[in-house]
Amino acid sequence: MKKLNLNPATIDNILETLLQRSPHQYNEYENTVKDIIENVRTRGDEAVFEYTFKFDKATITPDNLIVTKEEIEEAYKLVSPELIDVIRKAKVNIRAFHEKQLMNSWFSTEDGIMLGQRVTALENVGVYVPGGKAVYPSSVLMNVMPAKVAGVDHIYMTTPCDKDGKVYPTTLVAANEAGVDTIYKCGGAQAIAALAFGTKSIKKVDKIVGPGNIFVALAKKAVFGHVSIDSIAGPSEILVLADETANPTFVAADLLSQAEHDEMASAILVTTDVSLADKVESEVNRFVEMLSRKDIITKSLDNFGYILIAENMKDAVDCVNAIASEHLEIVTKDPFEVMTKVRNAGAIFLGSYSSEPLGDYFAGPNHVLPTNGTARFFSPLSVDDFIKKSSIISYSKEALEKIYPDIVKFANSEQLTAHANSIKVRFEDI
């Protein structure tokens, strides 16, 4: 990790380095992804199955594309009862949190006028679940549960299979527990294209959510507009804001919890205490030697790991807001007071015992979060992502008659005489 004194130039350099990890920077892959999408759009199933064999060495046909009830039952036999129990407990917490986000339709009436907002759930949603280097049943729960709470009619999941056509058992168990309706055995950009445009065997959806590799991220970017998407996610990141009261062992462990995701992950400590900075650096070095993903962690820390020393808490908070990290831990004497000064963060963890993995797996708030500084204007995945709102307008004749000259005047000021005419014909002989 690079240890630096905090100043405006330091922040600018770090932001420039972090933005190099963005999917928007991988232009060399975009043509490949565009070719895959166009091929799937025009050739449908045939292209999907060809790419699945090419990339995953799996022979998939319409007959074995969809995961069967028997395959799900077999998955339950392969996953320990203890883990199934944990998945179920996490599901309860995630559902409970997202139920608090539910939004109701509303209407108001006065003097012949009714205005309102009608909230309806999306009909069909596609959830992408990775199946490459690692398996993330927690992401299945986080992407599916808010859709279920919102009332989405049908949830389709796509996930890669192995060469024998098998899907990770934990993925299938989590999907079944969360209430996924249909599971397709395909992944990559071809799966995103199939969900966006539909094929003979794969249903076209209204929205696609879920994490994936750079090809999946770029595919989601490319199909946006044909369908809605959650976000174009970049590599994982954590920022810990700490003062002299923080436990250096805890801070070091939390930084490494994100650095192990992949070589592009970012881990940053911002502190007002030089002594803490030194101790955290020492603990990081100690932990790295004993962790299973040492090589990945080392590359992550070498490229995107920082210990930043601020002169005061105001400067530290300004840095936090500039970086706008996916995960932010505040480990200070009064974390709740410091939190009130933070404007930009995906998820905020307060105090020494609110470690970031708590949010990844179990607490309930969604772990699908804005990355690469987009917490400045994006929010975590929520029930809101799976609903849409329609404005409702109803005027009586008497209510419209009172204000129709104002509308006519407004329309005429924009030289839209047909607009004005559609109002006037109701009250004037034209």
Side-chain angles (χ1 to χ4, degrees):
M1 299 181 77
K2 304 173 186 67
K3 189 190 296 183
L4 304 169
N5 289 322
L6 189 60
N7 58 57
T10 301
I11 297 175
D12 289 343
N13 289 335
I14 290 173
L15 290 175
E16 184 177 351
T17 299
L18 294 179
L19 286 175
Q20 293 173 8
R21 309 171 311 136
S22 169
H24 296 285
Q25 302 299 317
Y26 288 81
N27 298 329
E28 66 268 31
Y29 299 119
E30 287 191 340
N31 288 334
T32 299
V33 169
K34 287 179 181 178
D35 287 344
I36 293 173
I37 291 172
E38 182 60 21
N39 209 2
V40 171
R41 190 182 71 81
T42 56
R43 296 175 56 232
D45 281 351
E46 184 181 3
V48 172
F49 300 151
E50 285 179 5
Y51 285 122
T52 299
F53 183 78
K54 178 179 179 179
F55 297 129
D56 300 323
K57 308 306 178 192
T59 302
I60 298 298
T61 69
D63 294 331
N64 67 350
L65 172 65
I66 296 175
V67 171
T68 64
K69 179 180 178 182
E70 290 72 25
E71 287 175 300
I72 293 174
E73 291 173 350
E74 180 63 23
Y76 273 83
K77 297 175 184 177
L78 298 173
V79 178
S80 72
E82 293 79 13
L83 180 55
I84 294 173
D85 185 55
V86 170
I87 289 172
R88 288 171 175 166
K89 288 177 180 176
K91 180 184 74 171
V92 169
N93 293 343
I94 296 166
R95 174 180 283 279
F97 178 85
H98 288 87
E99 283 176 343
K100 293 179 174 64
Q101 298 176 336
L102 280 168
M103 184 181 298
N104 295 319
S105 299
W106 59 267
F107 301 91
S108 65
T109 58
E110 183 179 0
D111 297 332
I113 301 170
M114 184 185 76
L115 302 175
Q117 180 173 273
R118 183 169 178 240
V119 177
T120 54
L122 301 183
E123 292 183 53
N124 301 297
V125 166
V127 176
Y128 186 89
V129 177
K133 293 181 180 179
V135 55
Y136 299 110
S138 60
S139 285
V140 176
L141 298 180
M142 293 292 183
N143 281 279
V144 175
M145 293 312 301
K148 295 295 290 186
V149 170
V152 171
D153 292 351
H154 204 106
I155 299 174
Y156 300 87
M157 192 177 95
T158 61
T159 188
C161 61
D162 64 19
K163 60 183 179 61
D164 297 318
K166 302 291 185 182
V167 175
Y168 283 122
T170 49
T171 297
L172 294 183
V173 169
N176 189 64
E177 291 292 327
V180 173
D181 298 291
T182 304
I183 305 171
Y184 298 119
K185 299 177 184 177
C186 63
Q190 65 270 23
I192 300 299
L195 290 173
F197 297 106
T199 71
K200 185 176 181 180
S201 301
I202 297 175
K203 175 75 175 181
K204 172 179 168 54
V205 301
D206 302 312
K207 184 162 190 167
I208 302 171
V209 301
N213 62 19
I214 187 61
F215 294 98
V216 171
L218 290 175
K220 288 169 68 177
K221 177 183 175 184
V223 301
F224 176 66
H226 298 282
V227 294
S228 178
I229 63 171
D230 50 351
S231 63
I232 304 169
S236 186
E237 53 201 31
I238 185 171
L239 191 155
V240 179
L241 173 60
D243 62 14
E244 71 280 357
T245 66
N247 183 313
T249 301
F250 294 176
V251 172
D254 292 354
L255 290 169
L256 296 178
S257 72
Q258 294 307 291
E260 77 169 345
H261 268 296
D262 62 61
E263 294 90 345
M264 303 292 284
S266 167
I268 300 173
L269 167 64
V270 179
T271 183
T272 53
D273 186 67
V274 175
S275 176
L276 178 74
D278 293 338
K279 291 174 183 177
V280 169
E281 183 178 37
S282 177
E283 287 293 84
V284 165
N285 293 333
R286 180 173 70 90
F287 278 135
V288 167
E289 295 303 317
M290 64 177 71
L291 294 171
S292 61
R293 295 169 71 88
K294 175 183 175 180
D295 291 343
I296 291 175
I297 292 172
T298 300
K299 290 179 181 178
S300 168
L301 296 181
D302 286 347
N303 293 319
F304 306 108
Y306 296 92
I307 296 175
L308 305 177
I309 302 169
E311 289 189 6
N312 54 61
M313 187 55 67
K314 181 184 182 303
D315 288 349
V317 172
D318 287 346
C319 175
V320 166
N321 283 323
I323 293 175
S325 185
E326 177 188 19
H327 306 100
L328 169 65
E329 290 188 9
I330 302 177
V331 192
T332 60
K333 183 178 181 181
D334 189 350
F336 289 90
E337 193 275 332
V338 174
M339 178 192 68
T340 64
K341 297 177 173 60
V342 173
R343 298 181 66 91
N344 305 324
I348 303 174
F349 301 78
L350 302 174
S352 294
Y353 292 91
S354 302
S355 177
E356 188 279 334
L358 174 66
D360 273 351
Y361 296 111
F362 210 76
N366 211 287
H367 79 196
V368 181
L369 303 167
T371 58
N372 279 109
T374 60
R376 290 178 292 111
F377 44 81
F378 280 143
S379 304
L381 191 72
S382 72
V383 169
D384 290 347
D385 287 285
F386 299 98
I387 63 170
K388 52 196 172 78
K389 305 162 191 171
S390 300
S391 299
I392 306 298
I393 302 168
S394 176
Y395 270 58
S396 68
K397 178 182 178 182
E398 294 73 19
L400 182 60
E401 189 171 15
K402 291 178 182 178
I403 51 87
Y404 94 87
D406 294 332
I407 303 173
V408 171
K409 186 176 295 184
F410 220 149
N412 283 333
S413 76
E414 297 183 348
Q415 300 180 22
L416 297 176
T417 55
H419 280 64
N421 188 62
S422 77
I423 297 292
K424 288 197 295 184
V425 294
R426 286 165 166 77
F427 302 103
E428 302 176 14
D429 292 330
I430 296 177

